[in-house]
Amino acid sequence: MRRVVVLAGHNVLLRRRDPAHFVSYLIMPMVLMLIFKGMLGDPAQVVTGLLVMFSVLSMADVATATLTERSWHTWDRLRATRARLSEIMIGKALPVFAVLLVQQAVLLVYGVLAVGMRPAGVIWPLALAVTVWSFALLCAGTAIAGVVRGQGELSTLCNIVALSVSALGGALVPYALMPEWARAVAPISPGYWATTMLQAAVRGDIPGTLGPAALLTGLVSPRGRSPAGVWAGAGAALPPSDREPFRLVRAPRFGGVECLRNRPEAR
């Protein structure tokens, strides 16, 4: 547990030093919500659609949490510590998972206050929908980090995926207004199920929330494996960088919190 706290604290510092993506993915959907509100007239469609689109864009932040270790050639050094793979992955995942939850929670509150969305019924289906979608993005972002070779490829892939998933999923325009061919292929998009799940949660439709939630959980759990197992397996599959040992040392300037140091320069 202590090692998880140390690794999580280290990754929190990295997120705090580079909050640009988090801020931009909050401000941009807020502005677009006000514009789309007058065009579509359905606050739930506007809020949930843009939430899905910009949360998919946030996969870049999820992948960056692991990709930086490869860029700095410190991934194998991290694996050489006493921390188990599960502890490493949990320590790296907790901060970015919290960022995804905060992003979606802020946009939902903004949707209620500024856009006029009115959730019906109990609030726990909406909390469940946000948690399931955030974990699906966490699994996908970690897997992407294992295949891209740099930030350029990561940004390109996440932008293309975000637009495709959002457009085919009915996040930008209502499903009924999409072309016939798009409606036919929409169910293959995770964005379709995320949008359906969130809109059902806003309506207070518990069965309509649980169905897509189970399906999204199954998408990140192929061949019967648990989502956590798939997510940890994605971290284990990351390509090696170097094999030099890595040390955990105390850094007084961070309030006595142990954090990772001796990071070599990128080669």
Side-chain angles (χ1 to χ4, degrees):
M1 183 63 184
R2 180 172 173 270
R3 289 189 284 264
V4 171
V5 173
V6 171
L7 290 166
H10 171 67
N11 283 274
V12 167
L13 288 176
L14 295 178
R15 302 279 77 74
R16 286 176 55 189
R17 290 174 178 176
D18 187 17
H21 282 174
F22 176 71
V23 174
S24 64
Y25 292 156
L26 279 180
I27 301 300
M28 287 191 291
M30 287 178 177
V31 174
L32 290 175
M33 282 180 188
L34 297 178
I35 298 174
F36 276 65
K37 175 185 176 182
M39 297 171 57
L40 299 179
D42 182 0
Q45 171 68 41
V46 172
V47 174
T48 57
L50 290 173
L51 183 150
V52 168
M53 178 177 181
F54 282 89
S55 61
V56 175
L57 284 170
S58 294
M59 278 199 310
D61 286 340
V62 176
T64 297
T66 304
L67 185 61
T68 50
E69 300 290 352
R70 291 173 53 195
S71 302
W72 294 344
H73 301 279
T74 55
W75 177 251
D76 284 330
R77 293 187 176 198
L78 193 58
R79 292 291 306 275
T81 65
R82 295 180 180 179
R84 295 187 293 271
L85 176 62
S86 59
E87 293 175 325
I88 295 173
M89 297 303 294
I90 292 173
K92 298 192 73 63
L94 285 177
V96 292
F97 187 62
V99 167
L100 290 171
L101 292 177
V102 169
Q103 178 202 30
Q104 296 182 57
V106 170
L107 291 178
L108 288 172
V109 172
Y110 179 82
V112 171
L113 298 177
V115 185
M117 183 180 72
R118 294 291 179 264
V122 293
I123 199 66
W124 70 261
L126 194 55
L128 173 66
V130 168
T131 302
V132 169
W133 180 233
S134 296
F135 193 76
L137 294 172
L138 181 67
C139 294
T142 303
I144 289 173
V147 297
V148 297
R149 293 174 294 182
Q151 288 292 340
E153 287 188 9
L154 174 62
S155 298
T156 301
L157 181 60
C158 286
N159 290 338
I160 293 174
V161 169
L163 182 60
S164 302
V165 166
S166 303
L168 291 177
L172 299 178
V173 296
Y175 178 78
L177 298 181
M178 294 170 56
E180 184 177 351
W181 68 265
R183 293 199 300 270
V185 301
I188 69 174
S189 168
Y192 170 82
W193 298 105
T195 305
T196 301
M197 174 179 63
L198 287 165
Q199 291 179 355
V202 171
R203 296 192 305 269
D205 181 359
I206 295 177
T209 303
L210 296 179
L215 189 143
L216 284 171
T217 302
L219 287 178
V220 294
S221 309
R223 299 182 182 179
R225 295 179 61 184
S226 68
V230 175
W231 160 62
L238 289 172
S241 54
D242 49 27
R243 297 291 180 181
E244 299 176 15
F246 198 75
R247 296 187 294 116
L248 289 174
V249 298
R250 188 170 295 277
R253 66 192 183 95
F254 294 140
V257 178
E258 288 187 348
C259 39
L260 297 171
R261 295 180 62 188
N262 290 345
R263 174 175 63 83
E265 296 298 328
R267 297 172 183 172

